[in-house]
Amino acid sequence: MKGRRLYLDGVSVVFDGFRALNNLALVVEPGEMRAVIGPNGAGKTTMMDVITGKTRPTSGIVTFGELDLTRMDEASIANLGIGRKFQKPTVFDALTVFENLELALKAPRGPVACLRWHLAGAGRTRIEEVTTEIGLTDRAHDLAGILSHGQKQWLEIGMMLMQDPDLMLVDEPVAGMTDAETEHTAKLLARIAGRHSVVVVEHDLDFVRALGCKVTVLHEGTLLSEGSIDHVQNDPRVVEVYLGR
Amino acid sequence: MSATTLDTPAPSRIRLGLRAVMGVVVVVLATFPLLNMLPQDSVFHVSDFLVSVSGKWICYAILALSLDLAWGYAGILSLGHGAFFALGGYAMGMHLMRLIGPRGVYGHPVLPDFMVFLGYQQLPWYWLGFDHFAFAMLMVLLVPGMLALVLGWLCFRSRITGVYLSIITQAMTYALMLAFFRNDMGFGGNNGFTDFKELLGMPLNTGAARASLFYASLVSLVGCYLFCLWMTGTKYGRVLTAIRDAENRVRFLGYDTTSHKLFAFVASAMMAGLAGALYVPQVGIINPGEFSPGNSIEAVIWVAVGGRGTLVGAVIGAFSVNGLKTWLTSAAPDLWLFVLGGLFVAVTLFLPKGLVGLLKGRAK
Ligand SMILES: Nc1ncnc2c1ncn2[C@@H]1O[C@H](COP(=O)(O)OP(=O)(O)O)[C@@H](O)[C@H]1O
Ligand SMILES: [Mg+2]
């Protein structure tokens, strides 16, 4: 199995005295799929910010294989093979769907390489595959700015797939999607897992159940429970803070 | 799974239309020096004044293009692009000063008049080499380019953007203006350089020299336009647009946005330097006033009026605002600054995509 192990231990993030993450520990093995659930404000997005270099932890260890992610910037972390779908989809509105995907396609990232870039057969085929996968084939040459919210979600997922990362961090992928789309997304993620490690943050418990993977429950920035969906759903602490409300 | 083929669509009619506009502008300008040779009473005669003033506008259009690359595409709102223009102009001015040789008022074989006047015994080291045209041309590009590289590197890697970046660029041009005003800098103080005699063996006060400089500027404009058109049409151009709209998101795709912005900023500064170098022999003078912050702000207004983010818009903006300025400063000189300010406010409020946006709206 290629890929590296994601390891977080004792991670705390403090914003103006407020502990968004508090002594958090998490291990994701290569090729593993993991669901992370927890009430709003539990720190799920902040955890992804820490892994992708957007936020520096106040204390704690964050490594990917041997590499210390707390010392790297966003671009280097992305180039290591960590891709992210943001909770609030941000695509490039002034570019077409196709161009958004082309920008994300794994390729040399420097200015000169981009100037000399020519989209060859393999890259084009990959873009076509992903465009089909995310159901945007007939919107391929439309500007991303005119897509609906759900379509932007799909495009973001597509952009993450284009990067072909070893680890995918997927923040609330099915918000704003119909039931059919939600099901399609669950299947898509299940297909991806195995080749890549995937961490999915989601509120929708049916969706998490459909993923059929190990579940981590966060609460107030710390790990509350971990195990199968049935295990955590029956964990009294989880019932108290989250499911039982 | 069979994937459908997604062919790249042809450029839209609007884009082709804009390129056609650019072509017409260039062809019309190209006839000016020729029509200037017609007899004065011919209806097609183009006056000496119009030839010389439009030669200046062409240089402004190159400056506008360069600013549009930085601002319209990469989102770097430089309020100091006039400094790059002026540095290119000074580099050309130094070459022209060296070519005066012993023909100066004091008749010194090497030293320009202002140095003799200030009691210099020998040429400062940074003037060496400027007697060679090729070296001077290299400096026209390198000096603005190096300044942009250093300033850009410091700002972009510290993630200084938006208003703060604009203020820093404005401060840069202001600081350079103050520095160039000083006599001990060795650049002629507040008088700058003037009384140029020749360039490439060509006396400057002839019609042939004016026409040559005009065409050199026009060819440079076309060259810069094609360069920008190519650059913005590549994936690099799309990375710049993405950085302009959501720089952070681009970082998470693995792009080191600092190097991309730096590349565009340096290319842009070099283009501005070239514009300044073409400008100086046409107007016959360069002095620290070229660094004044107002000049850089005017350049931003040209681009805003024409339509930022479209190359043709920058060019149209430079010609139309400067045309208006030339007309107004003779018709009602006191009004110009108010009109300029009003124009900027009006464009920002009512025409956010500039004149080109108006054309695009029509086309739809
Ligand atoms: N940049 C920030 N500055 C201050 N507080 C923040 C910042 N980012 C997140 N927070 C706070 O941290 C907590 C956790 O947020 P978040 O990670 O977005 O939660 P979740 O994604 O689990 O809903 C929230 O209370 C949020 O208000
Ligand atoms: Mg969140």
Side-chain angles (χ1 to χ4, degrees), chain A residues 15-37:
Chain A
F15 295 118
D16 300 326
F18 172 76
R19 284 188 170 267
L21 291 182
N22 188 4
N23 204 15
L24 176 69
L26 179 81
V27 180
V28 180
E29 299 295 342
E32 181 185 350
M33 162 116 84
R34 175 71 59 88
V36 176
I37 61 174

Side-chain angles (χ1 to χ4, degrees), chain B residues 214-225:
Chain B
F214 182 96
Y215 282 120
S217 307
L218 192 58
V219 168
S220 303
L221 173 63
V222 173
C224 289
Y225 170 74

Side-chain angles (χ1 to χ4, degrees), chain B residues 189-230:
Chain B
N190 60 350
N191 296 318
F193 307 144
T194 189
D195 285 333
F196 308 132
K197 304 287 188 225
E198 58 164 73
L199 178 60
L200 291 171
M202 202 171 49
L204 282 174
N205 55 2
T206 62
R210 278 194 295 273
S212 305
L213 286 167
F214 182 96
Y215 282 120
S217 307
L218 192 58
V219 168
S220 303
L221 173 63
V222 173
C224 289
Y225 170 74
L226 292 177
F227 175 74
C228 291
L229 193 64
W230 166 73

